[in-house]
């Protein structure tokens, strides 16, 4: 399961890793949540392309997104069989730039949040799928889902699943939907190598999607017993609640600072 993740590296670092042509400036985000805009990298006309899409896939055949369940993750084991994913697996595979993710461990009747980051602190690529949904009045929305796999040994005690991480050497193979079929691409969706990631417990402040800032990824052992840390952006979101969301689920825009 991957329901929150991190985007911390500089735009230049992501551009070097994913080799897309566009120069896009975007801020670091410490609490990326479903329904927010997220960056993806996909192949278009033989080149890698940066794009912003909504996290939460809507298949093209859905008539009313409001009555359709939010698809944040897709299981690697069934991604070629599920109607919601199989066409995208054949034709619309993508990568999601990231610097880690959050997971919650069930222990003693409580959920304890953990931050999972690369040991070397270099950016990662989550395997994903994207779709374009067209509405009855011509409206159009691009959306994406993160593919998950069984967790590796390092993370299995924390949670049974983890995002599928694609190595840079396999980027071309994953993105080339015209020459690499879905079943062949599925072979890239194994658990991450042992030692690639480290996890540590963090403050429950991450539970609130409005909270966003570097304090969220500090180890719980290094934090004083204090209140949640909220950025000015999140504070503004608190002052203008969205009636479509619950009181504890306010979300700032992922790319408020884009030009």
């Amino acid at each position: 399961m991957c329901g929150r993740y991190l985007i911390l590296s500089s735009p230049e670092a992501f551009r070097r890793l994913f080799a897309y042509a566009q120069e896009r400036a975007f801020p670091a985000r410490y609490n990326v949540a479903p329904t927010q805009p997220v960056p993806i990298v996909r192949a278009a006309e033989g080149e890698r392309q940066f794009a912003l899409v909504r996290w939460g896939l809507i298949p093209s055949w859905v008539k009313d997104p409001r009555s359709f369940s939010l698809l944040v993750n897709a299981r690697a084991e069934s991604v070629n069989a599920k109607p919601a994913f199989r066409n995208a697996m054949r034709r619309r595979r993508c990568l999601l730039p990231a610097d880690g993710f959050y997971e919650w461990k069930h222990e003693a009747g409580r959920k304890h949040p953990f931050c999972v980051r690369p040991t070397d602190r270099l950016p990662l690529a989550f395997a994903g799928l994207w779709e374009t949904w067209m509405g009855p009045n011509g409206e159009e929305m691009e959306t994406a889902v993160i593919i998950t796999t069984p967790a590796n040994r390092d993370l299995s005690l924390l949670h049974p699943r983890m995002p599928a991480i694609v190595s840079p050497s396999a980027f071309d193979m994953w993105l080339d939907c015209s020459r690499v079929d879905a079943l062949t691409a599925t072979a890239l969706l194994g658990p991450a190598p042992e030692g690639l990631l480290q996890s540590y417990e963090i403050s429950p402040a991450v539970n609130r999607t409005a909270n966003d800032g570097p304090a969220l990824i500090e180890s719980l052992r290094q934090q004083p017993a204090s209140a949640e840390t909220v950025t000015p952006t999140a504070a503004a979101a608190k002052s203008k609640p969205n009636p479509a969301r619950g009181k504890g689920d306010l979300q700032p825009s992922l790319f408020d600072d884009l030009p």
Side-chain angles (χ1 to χ4, degrees):
M1 174 82 183
C2 177
R4 306 279 185 81
Y5 70 101
L6 303 156
I7 300 175
L8 305 182
S9 294
S10 68
E12 293 78 15
F14 280 131
R15 189 165 177 253
R16 285 195 301 270
L17 174 62
F18 293 95
Y20 50 79
Q22 299 95 323
E23 295 186 15
R24 299 298 300 268
F26 49 86
R29 295 299 290 181
Y30 291 82
N31 202 0
V32 183
T35 75
Q36 292 182 345
V38 295
I40 66 168
V41 177
R42 59 192 175 190
E45 299 180 353
E47 296 183 351
R48 295 181 190 173
Q49 177 191 74
F50 175 101
L52 294 179
V53 303
R54 192 195 78 152
W55 184 16
L57 188 135
I58 302 174
S60 59
W61 42 262
V62 170
K63 294 183 178 179
D64 184 0
R66 293 172 297 182
S67 61
F68 190 76
S69 298
L70 187 65
L71 299 177
V72 175
N73 296 151
R75 286 176 171 256
E77 302 93 318
S78 58
V79 76
N80 289 306
K82 295 285 187 181
F85 308 126
R86 61 189 178 200
N87 285 336
M89 187 64 187
R90 294 170 187 158
R91 303 182 181 93
R92 288 175 291 279
R93 299 190 294 266
C94 67
L95 299 167
L96 287 90
D99 288 275
F101 58 98
Y102 297 110
E103 201 49 82
W104 282 258
K105 183 178 182 180
H106 294 256
E107 193 172 62
R110 292 180 54 201
K111 292 182 178 181
H112 300 263
F114 282 72
C115 182
V116 183
R117 299 186 66 190
T119 304
D120 58 13
R121 295 298 188 261
L122 295 176
L124 299 168
F126 295 159
L129 307 172
W130 67 278
E131 275 283 8
T132 299
W133 178 80
M134 297 285 293
N137 300 315
E139 62 267 42
E140 183 175 319
M141 178 166 51
E142 291 188 328
T143 62
V145 67
I146 293 173
I147 298 176
T148 67
T149 73
N152 62 14
R153 185 173 56 187
D154 289 342
L155 300 181
S156 60
L157 294 179
L158 177 62
H159 195 276
R161 300 197 65 82
M162 65 182 297
I165 297 172
V166 181
S167 68
S169 62
F171 284 1
D172 285 339
M173 186 175 178
W174 176 254
L175 294 175
D176 191 348
C177 298
S178 61
R179 291 185 292 183
V180 179
D181 63 75
L183 289 178
T184 302
T186 304
L188 302 173
L189 300 177
E194 307 297 336
L196 177 68
L197 304 168
Q198 66 172 178
S199 64
Y200 54 91
E201 191 171 359
I202 56 173
S203 164
V206 72
N207 294 344
R208 183 175 173 85
T209 56
N211 290 346
D212 191 342
L216 293 183
I217 62 173
E218 292 179 2
S219 172
L220 190 62
R221 296 178 181 179
Q222 301 174 3
Q223 296 183 25
S226 59
E228 297 179 354
T229 301
V230 182
T231 63
T233 300
K238 280 186 174 181
S239 66
K240 298 180 181 179
N242 184 340
R245 307 192 195 281
K247 292 182 179 179
D249 194 32
L250 299 173
Q251 296 180 8
S253 172
L254 178 59
F255 290 94
D256 284 334
D257 299 337
L258 275 176

